Amino acid sequence: DIQLTQSPSFLSASVGDRVTITCRASQGISSYLAWYQQKPGKAPKLLIYAASTLQSGVPSRFSGSGSGTEFTLTISSLQPEDFATYYCQQLNSYPRFTFGPGTKVDIK
Amino acid sequence: EVQLVESGGGLVKPGGSLRLSCAASGFTFSSYSMNWVRQAPGKGLEWVSSISSSSSYIYYADSVKGRFTISRDNAKNSLYLQMNSLRAEDTAVYYCARVVATMVRGVINYYFDYWGQGTLVTVSS
């Protein structure tokens, strides 16, 4: 099974900061990676798929990059509504689409 | 507007059973594969099960294989998860999610674009 790790697991940042989250896969997954945002008590929300394609309606301050085993989610200028937990998901091994452990972004 | 609404969660004793439902609306349900994903309290997301649009292909996580059964009724626009032999570690919020398959840069990519609000299953004596 493909395992995903995320770093950091927790980060504290201020409004306006540039934030980068890394997701690493235990084996190459090409660009079969998605990113989700989850706020407390809510369902996950799709941000990015195919490693770098922004989902419709998602603000352009979110971007994704990477391929193979290393991927990044970047928030160019953190906004108050961006404080949440972010998960990566591999979609290479259909249909066992495993998730990373999550990165919680908190207010500094 | 696409909507997925789960129901059927609750408190059940270890060894008991529960059936979750997910009512879909706002899209052609019979055209999409569907999944169940769960999240234990304070933990991350865990893929549970997947069913193809016509129910021809069904898959389970090892943690639930042999105990859970996924099904769907396209005439009723509904997805189900029958959970038997429940354990304390099955305690979680259960989400249904729609899978999209789309071409990106010449390659089919998948992603979960719509999720329900979740239903809480608590397994405790």
Side-chain angles (χ1 to χ4, degrees), chain A:
Chain A
D1 286 4
I2 298 173
Q3 308 297 324
L4 298 177
T5 58
Q6 289 183 234
S7 59
S9 54
F10 177 86
L11 76 87
S12 187
S14 300
V15 172
D17 283 355
R18 181 181 181 88
V19 168
T20 298
I21 298 168
T22 298
C23 177
R24 290 185 175 88
S26 58
Q27 63 190 74
I29 58 171
S30 186
S31 296
Y32 298 115
L33 190 100
W35 289 96
Y36 299 86
Q37 176 195 67
Q38 187 181 34
K39 296 181 180 179
K42 300 294 187 181
K45 173 189 173 184
L46 175 68
L47 299 175
I48 286 167
Y49 61 94
S52 60
T53 302
L54 198 66
Q55 171 68 343
S56 175
V58 174
S60 59
R61 62 180 180 273
F62 291 93
S63 64
S65 65
S67 67
T69 60
E70 187 158 330
F71 303 84
T72 59
L73 172 70
T74 299
I75 309 172
S76 60
S77 178
L78 199 65
Q79 298 302 300
E81 60 268 31
D82 300 338
F83 292 97
T85 300
Y86 294 84
Y87 294 93
C88 57
Q89 180 195 29
Q90 67 80 18
L91 300 108
N92 180 76
S93 53
Y94 184 95
R96 293 178 173 81
F97 299 145
T98 49
F99 294 88
T103 295
K104 184 175 182 179
V105 177
D106 211 344
I107 302 172
K108 183 182 285 185

Side-chain angles (χ1 to χ4, degrees), chain B residues 3-125:
Chain B
Q3 280 199 315
L4 298 170
V5 180
E6 300 95 337
S7 60
L11 175 63
V12 61
K13 289 181 168 53
S17 298
L18 214 53
R19 189 195 196 207
L20 306 184
S21 299
C22 170
S25 61
F27 66 102
T28 306
F29 180 71
S30 59
S31 296
Y32 291 85
S33 293
M34 298 294 295
N35 284 252
W36 288 99
V37 176
R38 68 184 180 183
Q39 187 171 36
K43 301 298 184 182
L45 301 166
E46 180 188 14
W47 172 79
V48 172
S49 184
S50 173
I51 186 167
S52 62
S53 57
S54 60
S55 304
S56 298
Y57 301 98
I58 287 175
Y59 305 89
Y60 299 98
D62 289 343
S63 57
V64 306
K65 196 176 297 182
R67 300 187 299 121
F68 289 11
T69 302
I70 190 172
S71 63
R72 63 191 296 162
D73 185 334
N74 287 342
K76 295 183 177 179
N77 291 335
S78 293
L79 175 72
Y80 306 102
L81 187 67
Q82 177 67 43
M83 304 185 296
N84 299 330
S85 304
L86 282 161
R87 306 166 180 167
E89 54 265 35
D90 296 319
T91 294
V93 173
Y94 285 73
Y95 297 100
C96 60
R98 186 179 84 165
V99 179
V100 170
T102 190
M103 290 292 285
V104 178
R105 300 183 289 274
V107 177
I108 294 177
N109 270 260
Y110 300 95
Y111 51 91
F112 294 11
D113 64 342
Y114 284 97
W115 299 61
Q117 85 289 350
T119 187
L120 177 62
V121 172
T122 303
V123 184
S124 175
S125 55

